[in-house]
Amino acid sequence: MRKAAVPILLFLLLLPGVAAAQLTYYPNETAFQAFLNSDSPFTVVSGNDTWARAWAYYIDERLSTLKTPGNGTLVLVGNVGNNRLMRKIWNETGLPPKASFLPSIIILNGTVLITGSKNNIYLTERAFENVWRPSRNARMAFLVTLIALMLVFLAALSGDGSHAGKFYGLMASLYVVWYLTSPRPFLTEGFLREMLSALEFTVGGTPDSALSAIMGVTFRLVPPLEENLVFIHWLIVFLIASLVFYLAPRRGRELGFIVFGLLFIAPMFRNSLDEINGSALGLAGFALTLAMACNVTFSPEKWKALVQTAVLSAFTLLAIAINPYLAFIPVFFVLAFPKRHLRNYAYLGTVALGILLLYETVGFSIGIPPSPSPCSLHLAGRFILDGGLAIGASIYALANRKGRMSMKGATAFLILLTAFYFPLAFFIPALFQYSFVLVSALAVRLLHGVTGGT
């Protein structure tokens, strides 16, 4: 007991700091690594609360990549308030009961205790952050999906007889080089919190947001492992890079490579993709909605136009579910494409009904702070510096444009969105990334207009 006295004392002294959400080990991290490296099977037992069952699901999936499930080492997840087995043996740790509500990994006489509360247990994922063992199936699924996406976009962009397909192939080559030379993206604390909510939905609980519900459905099909999340992240990044080709003018689709260059050359935008925080998914939904809105040609036949409107509404709602601040897109679409009233009314009505259903099921709110973010001026400065080429090109195009610009069509749509979302980014800094997409696409469209394009 004397040998254990010092670690226990240190643990107790660290309790106030641990309350600030820091993962701790008892007696030490080496003991936990020894458990991970051992050949003993394991059994995960969760607490009764939904969040404990959710995190136990993650722990079971994570350990299954390292060890064999079966009768062996007990892995208890939760705290003394909801896990009966943990409460039964807790006194043997020599720690106060309140310590079980803090994120920690405890090795006790052949039993592993993974403790915490709903507000912090997701931090115990850090205990596995050095584990990287993607399965063969995960590698193959990533490779097959990536190649399939490349071929689909390459075929679509090569079909109009332009050079768009060749430039798309060049973009894909640059993406592969970027993937092979980049460090592995890491999971942010905010994403881990969202992941816990998603896992609650996976095990039958109620999600905190529409994004959690989307992730929860995904986790029923794909195990919630860091390896899988990294592969999905890279697929989403590739999807963004592919979709920007459809933000270029229809008659100059090869200029999508310039949109790609202006966007990904910006360090502020590119660095935001170095971590997994959910923003890539939101950007993909945004790019997909913009691509559809800028390129859909509505049929004169009413039933076909309504089908097309339903598809556009569905993808718009998907983007809004991921990022509620995109709920303003339909308003600017109607302003920029005002001709067909039936289509516009149907689009606005369908999206409004979808937002209402989101509110009733998982909650939906657009909270805009009353004052700008303290870091907004710094981020705006970085935005202007990193996006200087696109901003400068836009100013040049506007200054040299002949005649009055029509405020109808895809270019007007992007102008309206930029004029709205860039100022809003001062209050919601995450929207600076969306502004990069808008400014890059807008610069190319304005330059295309100056050179005689439409």
Side-chain angles (χ1 to χ4, degrees), residues 44-315:
V44 176
V45 180
S46 74
N48 295 324
D49 293 339
T50 304
W51 63 264
R53 291 189 290 110
W55 200 245
Y57 174 75
Y58 163 74
I59 294 296
D60 190 71
E61 292 287 350
R62 178 75 275 180
L63 290 178
S64 294
T65 66
L66 306 170
K67 305 166 68 65
T68 304
N71 294 326
T73 302
L74 277 180
V75 180
L76 309 181
V77 180
N79 54 49
V80 296
N82 59 30
N83 192 309
R84 180 181 58 84
L85 291 179
M86 187 180 295
R87 182 167 57 249
K88 185 177 179 180
I89 67 172
W90 185 259
N91 287 337
E92 298 179 31
T93 66
L95 303 172
K98 67 177 182 179
S100 72
F101 292 84
L102 303 174
S104 60
I105 306 291
I106 299 174
I107 307 299
L108 178 67
N109 299 329
T111 302
V112 179
L113 282 63
I114 299 179
T115 72
S117 67
K118 180 180 175 66
N119 297 325
N120 57 38
I121 197 167
Y122 54 82
L123 290 172
T124 58
E125 188 276 339
R126 301 304 187 195
F128 302 96
E129 61 185 358
N130 292 325
V131 176
W132 179 255
R133 294 189 181 183
S135 66
R136 183 179 180 182
N137 289 340
R139 292 179 186 272
M140 288 299 299
F142 169 69
L143 187 60
V144 170
T145 305
L146 182 62
I147 293 174
L149 283 174
M150 286 183 180
L151 292 177
V152 168
F153 278 100
L154 185 61
L157 291 168
S158 301
D160 59 359
S162 69
H163 296 287
K166 297 177 182 178
F167 280 102
Y168 180 78
L170 179 58
M171 182 282 294
S173 301
L174 292 174
Y175 167 85
V176 171
V177 173
W178 183 21
Y179 171 77
L180 294 175
T181 58
S182 294
R184 190 168 74 236
F186 62 93
L187 310 181
T188 64
E189 183 175 334
F191 180 83
L192 290 175
R193 189 183 303 113
E194 195 76 42
M195 189 173 99
L196 175 59
S197 175
L199 289 169
E200 289 187 60
F201 184 66
T202 302
V203 300
T206 302
D208 293 335
S209 65
L211 177 58
S212 297
I214 294 171
M215 291 171 57
V217 171
T218 303
F219 290 153
R220 291 176 181 174
L221 304 173
V222 180
L225 305 176
E226 182 182 4
E227 295 88 339
N228 295 336
L229 293 171
V230 169
F231 286 146
I232 292 173
H233 174 79
W234 276 109
L235 288 174
I236 292 172
V237 171
F238 181 75
L239 183 61
I240 296 170
S242 300
L243 287 169
V244 298
F245 275 78
Y246 287 90
L247 301 184
R250 189 188 303 272
R251 297 183 183 179
R253 197 68 79 193
E254 62 272 8
L255 295 176
F257 184 75
I258 306 300
V259 182
F260 164 78
L262 290 174
L263 181 60
F264 283 87
I265 201 175
M268 182 179 175
F269 179 83
R270 193 174 62 253
N271 292 343
S272 70
L273 301 175
D274 289 342
E275 58 186 27
I276 300 178
N277 54 17
S279 65
L281 186 60
L283 287 167
F286 183 58
L288 180 59
T289 303
L290 292 184
M292 291 193 64
C294 291
N295 292 278
V296 64
T297 301
F298 288 92
S299 171
E301 298 181 45
K302 289 185 178 180
W303 72 271
K304 288 184 178 180
L306 288 175
V307 171
Q308 291 171 325
T309 303
V311 173
L312 177 60
S313 300
F315 283 105

